[in-house]
Amino acid sequence: MGDGNDSTVNEFILTGLTDRPELQLPLLLLFLGTYVFTAVGNLGIIILVSLSSNLQTPMYYFLSSLSFIDFCQSTTITPKMLVNFVAEKNIISYPECMTQLYFFIIFAISECHMLAAMAYDRYVAICSPLLYNVIMSPHICFLLTMAVYILGIIGSSIHTGFMLRLSFCKANVVNHYFCDVLPLLELSCSSIDINELLVLLLSAFNILIPALTILASYVFIIASILRIHSAEGRSKAFSTCSSHVMAVMIFYGSTTFMYLQPPSVSSMDQGKVSSVFYTVVVPMLNPLIYSLRNKDVKLALWKLLDCRKQL
């Protein structure tokens, strides 16, 4: 296996989402608007949670952390994609590509595990409400959040480290709109067997295990909700989980389609479409989902706005 320093490729050309010139401007405007909405929405939630005393709970602590991950994920991918819409050639240097790959994987893995931590928080809140403040103490919340980021850093370091060991000889056209693991592996002129095995193993660990954790949490949650006699109580319990369930379905559906399909079934062109969901759409939708379907967030926002008007 060759060393990354022996690679003759110093830069890559990203094919982008489309090669049709008439679509470049509409897509530029669409994704520019999406990125602005993503940045405003996620930074807004972070600021709102930090300023509102009503939102100083584990649920909103994790929501704020999710918003930080979504903002960083979008910022890792979208600005370069926007530049590529107006550039003659979508060129990215080898160091920039590896850097983008590294941070993309960190935040993608972190989102998987953060969604699992949020599901566990909802499980404790609904199934053990009397022990909630003890189990989900600030110290435990901090440790869970640190574990999420550590798993992201470890997974990304493994993927990027083994990617740096590969040689890229002549082919340098990446069939994607950013530097991702699978399209880069297609270009390598050295053995990628270990890399492909790592993709399978780490994807299974970082997608399936959090997904199973979420599934198990909601099995117990639904069982507890069904035991609630009050219709109002059941409705309130369901409402605290519905936003999270919606975000989980969109994120895990698109990542599973990209990384856990056999190569004979999936294609990179289909993968580009699915990756738009978890790199662009999900970071934009999460603030919308959690704010529109959450009375506490809307109430805190109105209170903050009222205070600003009085000042």
Side-chain angles (χ1 to χ4, degrees):
M1 187 176 290
D3 192 286
N5 294 329
D6 296 332
S7 301
T8 58
V9 171
N10 295 318
E11 61 185 24
F12 295 101
I13 298 174
L14 301 170
T15 61
L17 284 173
T18 179
D19 56 0
R20 296 173 60 182
E22 67 274 14
L23 293 179
Q24 299 294 325
L25 181 59
L27 287 175
L28 170 66
L29 297 175
L30 173 64
F31 286 107
L32 176 60
T34 300
Y35 179 66
V36 171
F37 190 91
T38 300
V40 171
N42 284 292
L43 291 176
I45 284 185
I46 293 171
I47 294 170
L48 187 63
V49 171
S50 63
L51 294 180
S52 176
S53 58
N54 294 334
L55 302 182
Q56 301 299 312
T57 65
M59 175 181 175
Y60 296 107
Y61 173 80
F62 289 125
L63 176 57
S64 179
S65 298
L66 180 67
S67 293
F68 174 75
I69 292 170
D70 282 335
F71 171 73
C72 293
Q73 178 74 292
S74 182
T75 301
T76 300
I77 303 298
T78 310
K80 179 61 179 174
M81 181 171 64
L82 295 176
V83 171
N84 290 341
F85 280 129
V86 296
E88 289 187 14
K89 280 190 176 181
N90 304 340
I91 296 174
I92 184 169
S93 69
Y94 181 87
E96 288 175 337
C97 185
M98 294 300 116
T99 301
Q100 186 183 57
L101 174 69
Y102 180 73
F103 284 103
F104 159 70
I105 297 175
I106 285 179
F107 298 119
I109 292 176
S110 296
E111 178 133 1
C112 290
H113 294 286
M114 185 59 70
L115 289 170
M118 295 173 75
Y120 176 70
D121 171 68
R122 291 299 81 206
Y123 158 75
V124 176
I126 293 174
C127 299
S128 303
L130 298 179
L131 297 175
Y132 180 69
N133 291 329
V134 176
I135 297 175
M136 300 305 296
S137 65
H139 180 66
I140 295 298
C141 292
F142 175 77
L143 290 179
L144 283 173
T145 304
M146 288 300 101
V148 165
Y149 290 124
I150 288 170
L151 287 170
I153 291 170
I154 291 173
S156 182
S157 298
I158 293 172
H159 272 306
T160 309
F162 277 88
M163 186 67 70
L164 288 170
R165 298 179 63 192
L166 298 180
S167 293
F168 298 91
C169 303
K170 294 182 180 179
N172 70 335
V173 178
V174 181
N175 187 21
H176 217 324
Y177 59 91
F178 70 98
C179 290
D180 197 1
V181 175
L182 297 180
L184 285 173
L185 291 181
E186 291 183 350
L187 302 181
S188 176
C189 56
S190 50
S191 174
I192 60 171
D193 293 342
I194 295 178
N195 299 71
E196 289 181 328
L197 180 62
L198 285 172
V199 170
L200 182 61
L201 293 177
L202 291 178
S203 296
F205 177 79
N206 292 306
I207 295 176
L208 291 182
I209 289 182
L212 291 174
T213 300
I214 292 169
L215 180 62
S217 297
Y218 277 103
V219 167
F220 288 109
I221 286 171
I222 292 171
S224 292
I225 290 175
L226 293 177
R227 288 197 294 267
I228 299 175
H229 299 295
S230 165
E232 183 181 350
R234 286 196 299 269
S235 176
K236 185 177 180 181
F238 273 121
S239 68
T240 63
C241 301
S242 58
S243 299
H244 182 254
V245 170
M246 193 180 301
V248 165
M249 290 175 64
I250 297 172
F251 180 77
Y252 279 99
S254 55
T255 52
T256 299
F257 183 88
M258 181 70 181
Y259 295 104
L260 293 181
Q261 281 200 101
S264 59
V265 175
S266 61
S267 74
M268 198 51 61
D269 290 330
Q270 292 174 326
K272 282 195 284 188
V273 175
S274 67
S275 57
V276 167
F277 280 91
Y278 62 81
T279 60
V280 179
V281 176
V282 169
M284 178 195 68
L285 285 182
N286 277 346
L288 199 62
I289 291 171
Y290 284 104
S291 59
L292 287 182
R293 300 180 64 86
N294 193 299
K295 294 180 180 179
D296 292 336
V297 172
K298 288 188 285 188
L299 182 61
L301 179 60
W302 286 121
K303 283 185 177 180
L304 186 62
L305 293 176
D306 285 340
C307 290
R308 295 267 182 177
K309 289 179 181 178
Q310 291 174 8
L311 293 175

